[in-house]
Amino acid sequence: MSEILRSDALPSASPSLSGPQPVRFRGGGFTVRRHPWAALAAFAVLIGLWEGASRIGLASPLFLPPPSAVGAALSVMVTDGSLWLNLKASLGRIAVGWTLGTLGGMLVGFAMGIGSLARAVGVPLVSAFFPIPKIALLPLFILWFGIGEPSKFATIGFGVFFPTVIATYSAIDSVPRNLIRMAQSFGLPWRSILRSIVLPGALPGILAGFRISSSIALILVVAAEMIGAEYGIGAFVLMAGNLMQTDTLLAGVLVLSLMGLTIGTLLSLLERRLLKWR
Amino acid sequence: MSEILRSDALPSASPSLSGPQPVRFRGGGFTVRRHPWAALAAFAVLIGLWEGASRIGLASPLFLPPPSAVGAALSVMVTDGSLWLNLKASLGRIAVGWTLGTLGGMLVGFAMGIGSLARAVGVPLVSAFFPIPKIALLPLFILWFGIGEPSKFATIGFGVFFPTVIATYSAIDSVPRNLIRMAQSFGLPWRSILRSIVLPGALPGILAGFRISSSIALILVVAAEMIGAEYGIGAFVLMAGNLMQTDTLLAGVLVLSLMGLTIGTLLSLLERRLLKWR
Amino acid sequence: QTLEKSSVGVLALSSSGPIFIAKAKGYFAKEGLDVELKMFTSAQQVPVAVASGDVDFGVTGLTAGFYNLAAKGAVTIVAAQSRDEPGFPLSAYVATNAAYEAGLTKPSDLKGKRIAITTVGSTFHYMIGILGQKYGFTVKDVTMVPLQDVPKMVSAFKGGQVDAILAPSTVSRQVVADGAGKIVGWAGDETPWQLGALFTGPKTIQQRRPVVEKFIRAYKTALAEYHAAFNAKDSSGALVKGPGYDELVAIIAEATKQKPEIVTAGLPYADPQAKLLIDDVVNQVKFWQSEGQVDKTLEPKSVMDLSFVGQ
Amino acid sequence: MRLLVSDLTHRYEDLTVLDGIDLTLAEGEVLAVIGPSGCGKSTLLGIAGGIVAPTSGRVSVEGPLPDGCLNPITFIFQDFALLPWRSVEDNVALVLEHHPLPTAERRERIETGLRRMGLWEFRKALPKQLSGGMRQRVGIARALAVRPAMLLLDEPLSALDAQTRELLMDDFLDLWRREKTTALYVTHNLDEALRLADRVVVLSRRPGRIREIVTVEEPRDRRQAPSAQAHLAEVRERLWHLMKAEAQMADREIAHV
Amino acid sequence: MRLLVSDLTHRYEDLTVLDGIDLTLAEGEVLAVIGPSGCGKSTLLGIAGGIVAPTSGRVSVEGPLPDGCLNPITFIFQDFALLPWRSVEDNVALVLEHHPLPTAERRERIETGLRRMGLWEFRKALPKQLSGGMRQRVGIARALAVRPAMLLLDEPLSALDAQTRELLMDDFLDLWRREKTTALYVTHNLDEALRLADRVVVLSRRPGRIREIVTVEEPRDRRQAPSAQAHLAEVRERLWHLMKAEAQMADREIAHV
Ligand SMILES: Nc1ncnc2c1ncn2[C@@H]1O[C@H](COP(=O)(O)OP(=O)(O)OP(=O)(O)O)[C@@H](O)[C@H]1O
Ligand SMILES: Nc1ncnc2c1ncn2[C@@H]1O[C@H](COP(=O)(O)OP(=O)(O)OP(=O)(O)O)[C@@H](O)[C@H]1O
Ligand SMILES: [Mg+2]
Ligand SMILES: [Mg+2]
């Protein structure tokens, strides 16, 4: 008996508690505490160690240029205007390609979300095309659209199209059926239901899809710029790689990371604006 | 009054219904009907049209080879053994890279899911690294790991690592708190809670992460093989593109699509086995 | 007596011929070296492999990337490889038919045109640079389209998306044979230059100097043989087959997995003493520096260690 | 408005859910429907409201419509069915939007409903900002805005906690005291039925058949009085007796191993 | 086991949830706690069970433990808190796993609990295959397996439909008839409290303070009788009177615009 009780909440050796025993706390753990400065500290330590390792010659500046060198390379990019030039080129490609792919994807996704036949036809086609890495189609796009901008738009657009289709029709599926039934029970016409219920109800899912498709666009702009691009962050990074300028390369990678973070932040802002009701 | 009633569920011109009026059906629409043959028919029509367009000379066989030519190219790949050779190379790379990235990602993800400090440090680091397209790091990986297999493993591994970290720690977050409280209220020790509740509870999220990371692995194996690989489906596709052999290229793309579908199916099977309880 | 192990990174091209010859005819073994050949697919990778210690030596074309590695003390040129030389058709300027008809008929007309190259910082990039130096234009006066590899350059060329390409002889001749364009000149005739070099890491020179010496002795033996067989001219200046021609062609064909007739069509010039065109190497460094692709602080002569070839 | 249901049967594919239901709702009557889970209560309501097409049988309505009635048969839902992205007043406005009404009348209908449910100060609030009880009050205001002739209520209180439930029952009593709208009220809760209904229909477990229709004699407004307790306890006992075995079996039948 | 709560106060950051609670649970007593949403009922229970650390005040227990008691203070949850990936019997086994028990006893404890709740034939079933009522029965069987000295029940029936609720109330009555386990029973439902509790604590809205403790005189097992109805209706009236204003205000206070 005492054996059994030992592992218990109440520290007692007898099956009866003689005097009042305080209830022992057994919650705790598995809760998230905040460490507001930990992230900053971690970044500082990481960068410090990295710089230090380079300074004392532990890491060759060729293989791992110190943060100061990366910073210097970045400031060169800023002052000689190449940052802006490359950024502009990449952002322009993302904007056009992403917009085309998203519009097309939403159109097809809506058709598939609402029409049973469109869905029956679309789902297998999409599942067949979706898993194809779009970089594998680059050679084909070059054949079809040439080495200029159109092939880059096409690469990004196609990459964005399929996830958008999937996000859109799943979003429509996830519009609560009970809201549609409610509208029907009040005699709302089909078009009103579509406009007032299906569309706003699908918005969260569609916006979540934007998050995925924008990161795909970022990957694909880099891939597409590896071929025949004079300017662009992807072309820039590739060139730095070819020239073995690792500091410049890392500066380019840093710019990509910032681009990704910025796009993500913008989408969050958009979500917060449009989905205040959640 | 009659104006108002006209758009109503009850077809009546007076505010009183004299005789019994049947209740009009106003549900319907917005339901998914099945069209079991539509998909097959769509594929057949698509392939038929495509083949036909090529036959009557509407589409140049260089730019869009007919399905029959793609099929022929595929059968050549099968008979001369190159399919197997390239597939083996790519699958091997995916297997090693994905496994490394997944193990690492799960380890870090678990640490971040359970430890508050690990999370505080990890989250900003991961959000900074995650948006970097891993292809941009290829030149760096070649510098660090050489041009052989290790750099390809690294590319895939790094690409897989970050989404796995995110999936894992979000999965741990989504383990219902009430189950953990329940376990605490029965005096279960910390390790038991981890093993019996946190781990199985996080499994669905982790498996969902596998779906994303496997498709990333597929993209990255193609990207990695575009640089200095003798065999591999990515190298194969690139070579076909370089040689303007569009039929062979499309055969390679078809293989990639099938690879993606197969991996997806295997994961579904795994999910169905492991998550029977859902 | 056991042989000392060593390795060299090469591309499967005729320009690496002397290495193949030295290996096949046992000159390395004679010097007491067991040299392993590691094949690479692009010129970028060879110096990287030397820098990372994957191989001890490398032989390949000189690129801006190479000089950046040299600037960081990762590689040093120790001997010459092939060079562009008048009378040796190695790299051609090829114009599309349309551009040709529009007046692109000689190399100097390339000013203001769209030219496909592999990558920024490649040998093709430099060749446009020295052509400009000769005819008074700069790289900024042309539009270079980087397409990563030669096959893509060819498809862009055939698709009329560029006016011209700079391409290796075999590719150029194939393009002409396909009726897709016209050769308007050869880089060797216009701007002779030091195309490639044998290099190693400074650490190797410091720590294993005897190995470097042995390697270069064997290399020079093979190089002399190569020069005698392939670079001999008769009194009229026409190329003639030198001693051992067929044997050496067979060795190279075997190593590069090419048909002998392809090999014979593109055998470059190589200096029999492995001497470098020092002025051109200096010019290369200065050119890349002016392009902003190589660190301005790099002292051009510091990329070479000429003690092994006695220059 | 009166509702006449005769020989109603409904099947979902192979599953027979309702079997031979005959039912009449008198003008102004509140009829509660109770029955075990899955016996087809919601389906019955859906058919009466025209959003489920019955497999066989007839459902019809007759009788006068209230002034300005826009949607004679109107639902109130268990899960409130509010659009989360619309404010309280816009949720009510939704069901008027497709009707050609003068702006003043539209506004008046919205305001009256909201004021009556004590929601006027909350008209700009989003559903997520409200408690469950207030959300259901929005649902009621929305239903009132179309001046219904008949209300179909599908467990309107079962998503609420017991105390809010008590408060809302008073709201319903008040509504029927004033409006006398005919109502079909589905619930699991005997006490709710005994507080609100004139008659209680007991359905058997699936396929739902009518087992009995019990009349609660005491007038709705007097049921809180101590003198009424004995009768109510007796009716309750009778209903529970009818239900208990069915409920037990239904509870176990849901389990499938 | 007796429970002694004295001068208990709890704050979540700036939000005071419980304020100066003094409470004693006698051996074998069932004490119901009612109060508006958010007044701190679940927090009180968490503190009594040692899974929430109180801001100030003392909570202690004393008295005999049943034979083989492994977890003196044991919870039964509103959402059942079953591991969805474990079968019914493995869910019960979970809470015995970390105790060094002979295999036979372990098996016996599981079987007894499941048989008593009528779940033995469903022991291999997964939670998703069960109805809500049966899931809560698994929760009860799990609690019984550790032979508790005191049960803490946090709205154990409010996720169930009214009919299943009736059935489970009978199960609880049966449990207390046999075991006489002390219990603290949180609910929103007056009828539930009146059926099951010896005394009812009414909490004010947040910060929760004790407004009154009402004793139900009628013994638990006789409360269904017609003769008891008048007394119960009177207690109910009194409780509802205490609650109504609080409930109304709490319901509106949740809304924030
Ligand atoms: N659209 C549908 N398709 C197929 N089966 C359905 C559908 N809707 C309901 N059912 C099934 O029909 C039966 C009756 O459903 P219904 O919702 O009418 O029951 P209910 O009495 O309202 O149950 P509850 O008390 O749980 O709300 C259930 O077994 C349910 O699973
Ligand atoms: N972990 C927590 N952190 C911060 N606030 C909390 C936490 N848990 C509960 N609260 C807040 O404390 C108040 C009381 O919560 P509690 O769950 O004890 O109320 P309750 O009486 O059980 O309510 P209900 O009847 O809705 O279950 C609520 O306002 C709640 O929002
Ligand atoms: Mg229902
Ligand atoms: Mg609570």
Side-chain angles (χ1 to χ4, degrees):
Chain A
M1 192 49 43
S2 68
E3 266 274 52
I4 289 167
L5 272 167
R6 200 173 298 154
S7 57
D8 267 357
L10 295 165
S12 157
S14 111
S16 171
L17 307 167
S18 42
Q21 302 255 355
V23 171
R24 210 190 57 188
F25 179 59
R26 46 185 173 169
F30 300 105
T31 44
V32 179
R33 266 162 298 136
R34 295 239 193 86
H35 300 268
W37 298 105
L40 268 179
F43 268 109
V45 167
L46 194 79
I47 289 175
L49 277 181
W50 176 5
E51 181 79 39
S54 286
R55 287 280 162 93
I56 62 168
L58 264 179
S60 127
L62 171 64
F63 286 82
L64 193 64
S68 55
V70 177
L74 194 63
S75 78
V76 167
M77 285 176 73
V78 173
T79 48
D80 73 0
S82 65
L83 174 68
W84 177 232
L85 217 62
N86 290 309
L87 207 56
K88 204 171 57 176
S90 291
L91 287 177
R93 286 176 190 129
I94 290 180
V96 176
W98 184 84
T99 308
L100 289 177
T102 298
L103 287 182
M106 277 172 59
L107 219 73
V108 172
F110 260 104
M112 280 168 61
I114 293 164
S116 294
L117 195 66
R119 158 159 327 195
V121 170
V123 168
L125 283 177
V126 168
S127 357
F129 280 104
F130 185 50
I132 301 171
K134 300 307 166 294
I135 0 175
L137 296 177
L138 253 176
L140 204 62
F141 288 150
I142 291 171
L143 283 177
W144 288 347
F145 303 109
I147 49 157
E149 296 301 297
S151 66
K152 297 178 183 67
F153 298 154
T155 310
I156 298 173
F158 267 77
V160 164
F161 176 79
F162 291 102
T164 307
V165 168
I166 293 176
T168 306
Y169 88 72
S170 318
I172 291 180
D173 271 3
S174 75
V175 173
R177 291 285 113 177
N178 66 326
L179 295 183
I180 292 174
R181 284 191 131 211
M182 179 277 291
Q184 288 178 331
S185 81
F186 278 98
L188 263 77
W190 193 84
R191 291 181 59 92
S192 297
I193 296 181
L194 212 60
R195 200 188 51 238
S196 304
I197 294 172
V198 176
L199 252 154
L203 198 60
I206 293 173
L207 287 181
F210 282 8
R211 217 166 258 287
I212 296 172
S213 66
S214 68
S215 69
I216 290 179
L218 197 62
I219 295 175
L220 287 177
V221 78
V222 173
E225 283 175 356
M226 294 197 160
I227 286 148
E230 203 175 347
Y231 294 110
I233 294 290
F236 178 86
V237 164
L238 190 74
M239 194 181 79
N242 283 337
L243 296 176
M244 293 300 150
Q245 298 175 334
T246 34
D247 46 358
T248 315
L249 190 150
L250 280 179
V253 166
L254 189 65
V255 172
L256 279 170
S257 162
L258 292 176
M259 273 170 77
L261 286 175
T262 310
I263 294 177
T265 312
L266 288 178
L267 282 177
S268 296
L269 283 178
L270 191 72
E271 274 186 356
R272 216 170 305 153
R273 258 193 94 81
L274 291 180
L275 307 180
K276 258 188 288 210
W277 49 270
R278 285 212 300 193
Chain B
M1 194 44 46
S2 68
E3 266 273 56
I4 289 167
L5 271 166
R6 200 175 297 154
S7 58
D8 267 356
L10 294 166
S12 156
S14 112
S16 170
L17 307 167
S18 43
Q21 301 255 352
V23 172
R24 209 189 56 187
F25 179 61
R26 46 186 173 168
F30 300 103
T31 45
V32 179
R33 268 162 295 134
R34 295 239 194 85
H35 301 269
W37 298 106
L40 268 179
F43 269 108
V45 167
L46 194 79
I47 291 177
L49 276 180
W50 177 5
E51 181 78 39
S54 287
R55 286 281 163 94
I56 61 167
L58 266 180
S60 126
L62 171 64
F63 284 86
L64 192 66
S68 55
V70 177
L74 194 64
S75 78
V76 168
M77 286 175 74
V78 173
T79 49
D80 74 0
S82 64
L83 173 69
W84 178 233
L85 215 60
N86 289 308
L87 206 57
K88 204 170 59 178
S90 292
L91 288 178
R93 285 174 190 132
I94 290 181
V96 176
W98 184 85
T99 307
L100 289 177
T102 298
L103 287 182
M106 278 173 58
L107 219 73
V108 172
F110 260 102
M112 281 168 62
I114 293 163
S116 293
L117 195 66
R119 159 161 326 196
V121 170
V123 169
L125 284 177
V126 168
S127 2
F129 281 104
F130 184 51
I132 300 170
K134 300 306 166 294
I135 3 177
L137 296 176
L138 257 175
L140 212 58
F141 287 151
I142 291 174
L143 205 57
W144 290 346
F145 303 108
I147 46 150
E149 296 301 297
S151 65
K152 294 176 183 69
F153 298 154
T155 311
I156 299 173
F158 268 78
V160 165
F161 176 79
F162 292 103
T164 306
V165 169
I166 294 176
T168 306
Y169 89 72
S170 319
I172 290 180
D173 272 3
S174 74
V175 174
R177 292 283 114 179
N178 66 326
L179 295 183
I180 293 174
R181 285 191 130 212
M182 179 276 291
Q184 289 178 331
S185 81
F186 278 99
L188 263 75
W190 193 84
R191 292 181 58 90
S192 295
I193 296 181
L194 213 60
R195 201 189 49 237
S196 305
I197 294 172
V198 176
L199 251 154
L203 198 60
I206 293 174
L207 286 180
F210 282 8
R211 217 167 259 287
I212 297 171
S213 66
S214 68
S215 69
I216 289 179
L218 197 62
I219 293 174
L220 287 178
V221 78
V222 172
E225 284 175 356
M226 291 194 161
I227 289 154
E230 202 177 351
Y231 293 110
I233 295 290
F236 178 85
V237 165
L238 189 75
M239 199 180 72
N242 283 341
L243 300 175
M244 302 278 238
Q245 299 173 337
T246 32
D247 46 358
T248 316
L249 191 154
L250 282 178
V253 166
L254 190 65
V255 171
L256 279 168
S257 161
L258 292 176
M259 274 170 78
L261 287 175
T262 310
I263 294 177
T265 312
L266 288 179
L267 282 176
S268 296
L269 282 178
L270 191 72
E271 274 187 353
R272 216 171 306 153
R273 258 192 93 81
L274 291 179
L275 307 179
K276 258 186 289 206
W277 48 271
R278 287 214 298 195
Chain C
Q1 181 204 343
T2 56
L3 302 177
E4 191 168 353
K5 285 205 181 304
S6 176
S7 57
V8 57
V10 293
L11 301 182
L13 297 175
S14 309
S15 52
S16 307
I19 299 286
F20 301 141
I21 294 166
K23 170 83 177 173
K25 299 191 76 171
Y27 299 148
F28 288 131
K30 234 178 262 171
E31 293 285 347
L33 294 178
D34 172 16
V35 175
E36 186 195 351
L37 301 195
K38 281 204 181 146
M39 299 299 223
F40 290 82
T41 52
S42 99
Q44 304 287 352
Q45 297 160 357
V46 183
V48 173
V50 171
S52 65
D54 285 340
V55 292
D56 299 322
F57 298 93
V59 204
T60 182
L62 294 167
T63 63
F66 176 88
Y67 290 112
N68 274 316
L69 289 173
K72 300 214 169 86
V75 288
T76 303
I77 298 174
V78 289
Q81 191 210 18
S82 47
R83 58 164 97 137
D84 252 326
E85 186 76 4
F88 288 88
L90 209 53
S91 319
Y93 314 104
V94 193
T96 61
N97 291 327
Y100 189 83
E101 262 138 48
L104 202 177
T105 55
K106 50 187 189 305
S108 55
D109 298 333
L110 283 171
K111 182 179 180 184
K113 298 295 188 295
R114 279 171 70 81
I115 309 170
I117 59 168
T118 51
T119 62
V120 171
S122 63
T123 52
F124 296 120
H125 183 171
Y126 178 66
M127 283 188 262
I128 294 172
I130 38 176
L131 188 71
Q133 284 173 0
K134 182 173 177 187
Y135 290 112
F137 62 88
T138 71
V139 178
K140 299 238 161 22
D141 297 323
V142 301
T143 308
M144 290 189 302
V145 184
L147 292 171
Q148 301 316 315
D149 49 37
V150 174
K152 283 205 196 62
M153 286 162 54
V154 173
S155 39
F157 181 85
K158 285 184 171 170
Q161 284 150 344
V162 291
D163 300 316
I165 49 172
L166 258 166
S169 56
T170 42
V171 177
S172 317
R173 294 205 167 102
Q174 186 58 48
V175 168
V176 173
D178 292 347
K182 302 224 163 29
I183 293 174
V184 297
W186 294 93
D189 298 333
E190 293 289 338
T191 57
W193 69 291
Q194 186 66 55
L195 182 61
L198 172 70
F199 47 87
T200 184
K203 261 201 204 128
T204 312
I205 295 177
Q206 267 172 35
Q207 294 164 3
R208 300 169 67 196
R209 190 168 180 99
V211 171
V212 181
E213 282 166 349
K214 287 176 194 167
F215 189 97
I216 289 176
R217 266 203 298 280
Y219 175 66
K220 276 164 75 175
T221 309
L223 199 56
E225 217 169 289
Y226 173 98
H227 182 80
F230 300 139
N231 300 152
K233 288 184 181 170
D234 61 14
S235 48
S236 70
L239 280 171
V240 292
K241 291 188 179 183
Y245 187 93
D246 293 324
E247 183 200 3
L248 299 191
V249 166
I251 289 175
I252 296 173
E254 160 79 29
T256 58
K257 298 199 178 71
Q258 293 279 10
K259 293 197 190 91
E261 53 271 28
I262 306 261
V263 171
T264 53
L267 285 163
Y269 180 87
D271 183 82
Q273 254 85 56
K275 295 228 189 313
L276 283 156
L277 295 176
I278 297 171
D279 290 344
D280 180 60
V281 173
V282 170
N283 185 51
Q284 287 186 34
V285 174
K286 289 189 171 149
F287 170 77
W288 294 124
Q289 286 174 331
S290 72
E291 286 284 287
Q293 266 138 12
V294 167
D295 195 337
K296 294 247 178 353
T297 59
L298 175 64
E299 162 54 40
K301 289 239 159 97
S302 72
V303 303
M304 301 173 270
D305 182 343
L306 300 170
S307 58
F308 299 97
V309 290
Q311 260 181 299
Chain D
M1 197 160 70
R2 289 178 294 284
L3 176 75
L4 315 156
V5 176
S6 69
D7 198 26
L8 181 71
T9 295
H10 190 73
R11 251 182 308 259
Y12 289 114
E13 274 129 54
D14 289 340
L15 189 77
T16 304
V17 170
L18 290 170
D19 188 15
I21 304 287
D22 286 293
L23 205 63
T24 313
L25 237 79
E27 184 72 45
E29 184 185 30
V30 177
L31 184 72
V33 179
I34 60 173
S37 262
C39 74
K41 301 183 294 300
S42 299
T43 305
L44 175 62
L45 227 52
I47 293 171
I51 55 175
V52 173
T55 309
S56 74
R58 281 176 47 83
V59 181
S60 49
V61 288
E62 65 177 330
L65 295 179
D67 270 4
C69 171
L70 295 174
N71 192 50
I73 309 177
T74 295
F75 280 85
I76 290 179
F77 300 89
Q78 173 178 8
D79 53 12
F80 322 138
L82 303 180
L83 306 188
W85 51 86
R86 287 199 177 205
S87 68
V88 164
E89 62 182 353
D90 290 344
N91 259 289
V92 178
L94 174 81
V95 300
L96 303 174
E97 272 166 13
H98 62 293
H99 293 288
L101 292 178
T103 317
E105 183 183 346
R106 193 183 300 274
R107 229 186 276 137
E108 192 269 338
R109 280 172 184 253
I110 296 170
E111 180 165 349
T112 317
L114 291 179
R115 282 203 188 279
R116 240 182 82 187
M117 300 320 294
L119 289 165
W120 185 242
E121 1 154 18
F122 295 98
R123 63 189 177 282
K124 302 281 180 208
L126 288 171
K128 67 159 181 190
Q129 298 171 303
L130 304 179
S131 67
M134 297 178 75
R135 284 181 214 177
Q136 190 56 295
R137 288 198 184 92
V138 179
I140 299 172
R142 176 177 62 190
L144 295 179
V146 294
R147 313 267 157 86
M150 181 161 75
L151 283 177
L152 302 178
L153 305 102
D154 194 355
E155 306 187 37
L157 306 181
S158 66
L160 305 173
D161 68 65
Q163 289 159 29
T164 312
R165 203 144 55 205
E166 300 263 352
L167 297 173
L168 269 160
M169 277 195 265
D170 286 345
D171 287 338
F172 280 129
L173 285 173
D174 185 57
L175 191 151
W176 283 310
R177 201 176 296 127
R178 298 217 234 165
E179 239 97 355
K180 307 217 181 338
T181 316
T182 316
L184 196 54
Y185 188 105
V186 164
T187 177
H188 274 116
N189 193 317
L190 291 181
D191 298 306
E192 233 171 276
L194 289 173
R195 278 275 287 285
L196 301 175
D198 299 308
R199 288 188 299 157
V200 182
V201 178
V202 182
L203 291 185
S204 70
R205 69 181 197 284
R206 195 179 56 226
R209 297 195 185 88
I210 294 182
R211 288 211 44 186
E212 197 155 326
I213 302 185
V214 178
T215 307
V216 189
E217 304 291 352
E218 210 71 40
R220 276 201 295 268
D221 282 338
R222 254 183 284 156
R223 293 189 192 162
Q224 298 283 61
S227 59
Q229 298 313 309
H231 171 65
L232 289 177
E234 189 190 308
V235 177
R236 192 182 200 291
E237 188 60 37
R238 193 153 129 235
L239 288 173
W240 183 233
H241 178 74
L242 282 167
M243 298 280 318
K244 190 169 180 176
E246 302 274 346
Q248 268 168 338
M249 276 189 280
D251 194 37
R252 314 203 102 219
E253 267 170 15
I254 291 173
H256 52 281
V257 196
Chain E
M1 198 159 70
R2 291 178 294 282
L3 177 75
L4 314 155
V5 176
S6 70
D7 199 26
L8 180 71
T9 295
H10 191 73
R11 250 183 311 261
Y12 290 114
E13 274 129 56
D14 289 340
L15 189 77
T16 305
V17 171
L18 290 169
D19 188 14
I21 304 286
D22 286 293
L23 205 62
T24 314
L25 236 79
E27 182 74 44
E29 185 186 31
V30 177
L31 185 73
V33 179
I34 61 174
S37 261
C39 74
K41 301 183 295 299
S42 299
T43 306
L44 175 62
L45 226 52
I47 293 170
I51 55 174
V52 173
T55 309
S56 75
R58 281 177 47 80
V59 182
S60 48
V61 287
E62 66 176 327
L65 295 180
D67 269 3
C69 171
L70 295 174
N71 192 51
I73 309 177
T74 295
F75 280 86
I76 289 178
F77 300 88
Q78 173 178 9
D79 55 11
F80 322 136
L82 302 181
L83 306 188
W85 51 85
R86 288 199 178 206
S87 67
V88 164
E89 61 182 355
D90 290 345
N91 260 290
V92 178
L94 175 81
V95 299
L96 303 175
E97 273 166 12
H98 62 294
H99 293 288
L101 291 178
T103 317
E105 184 184 346
R106 191 181 301 273
R107 228 186 276 137
E108 191 269 338
R109 278 172 185 255
I110 296 170
E111 181 166 348
T112 319
L114 291 180
R115 281 202 190 279
R116 239 179 85 186
M117 300 319 294
L119 290 165
W120 185 241
E121 1 154 18
F122 295 99
R123 65 191 177 280
K124 301 282 180 208
L126 289 170
K128 69 161 178 186
Q129 297 171 303
L130 303 179
S131 68
M134 297 177 75
R135 283 181 217 178
Q136 190 55 296
R137 289 198 183 93
V138 180
I140 300 173
R142 176 176 62 191
L144 295 180
V146 294
R147 312 267 156 88
M150 182 162 72
L151 282 177
L152 302 177
L153 304 103
D154 193 355
E155 306 188 37
L157 305 182
S158 66
L160 304 175
D161 68 65
Q163 289 158 32
T164 312
R165 202 142 57 207
E166 301 264 352
L167 297 173
L168 269 159
M169 277 194 262
D170 286 345
D171 288 336
F172 281 128
L173 285 174
D174 184 56
L175 190 150
W176 282 309
R177 202 176 295 127
R178 298 216 233 164
E179 240 98 352
K180 308 218 182 331
T181 316
T182 316
L184 197 55
Y185 188 107
V186 164
T187 178
H188 274 114
N189 192 317
L190 292 182
D191 298 306
E192 232 172 277
L194 290 173
R195 277 274 287 285
L196 301 175
D198 299 308
R199 289 188 299 156
V200 181
V201 178
V202 182
L203 291 184
S204 70
R205 67 180 199 284
R206 197 181 54 226
R209 296 194 187 89
I210 293 181
R211 288 211 45 185
E212 196 154 328
I213 303 186
V214 177
T215 307
V216 188
E217 303 291 350
E218 208 70 42
R220 276 201 294 269
D221 283 337
R222 253 183 285 155
R223 293 189 192 158
Q224 298 284 60
S227 60
Q229 298 313 309
H231 171 66
L232 289 178
E234 188 191 307
V235 178
R236 193 182 200 290
E237 188 60 38
R238 192 151 131 238
L239 289 173
W240 183 232
H241 178 75
L242 282 166
M243 298 281 319
K244 190 168 178 174
E246 302 273 347
Q248 268 169 339
M249 274 188 281
D251 193 39
R252 313 203 104 220
E253 266 172 15
I254 291 175
H256 52 281
V257 196

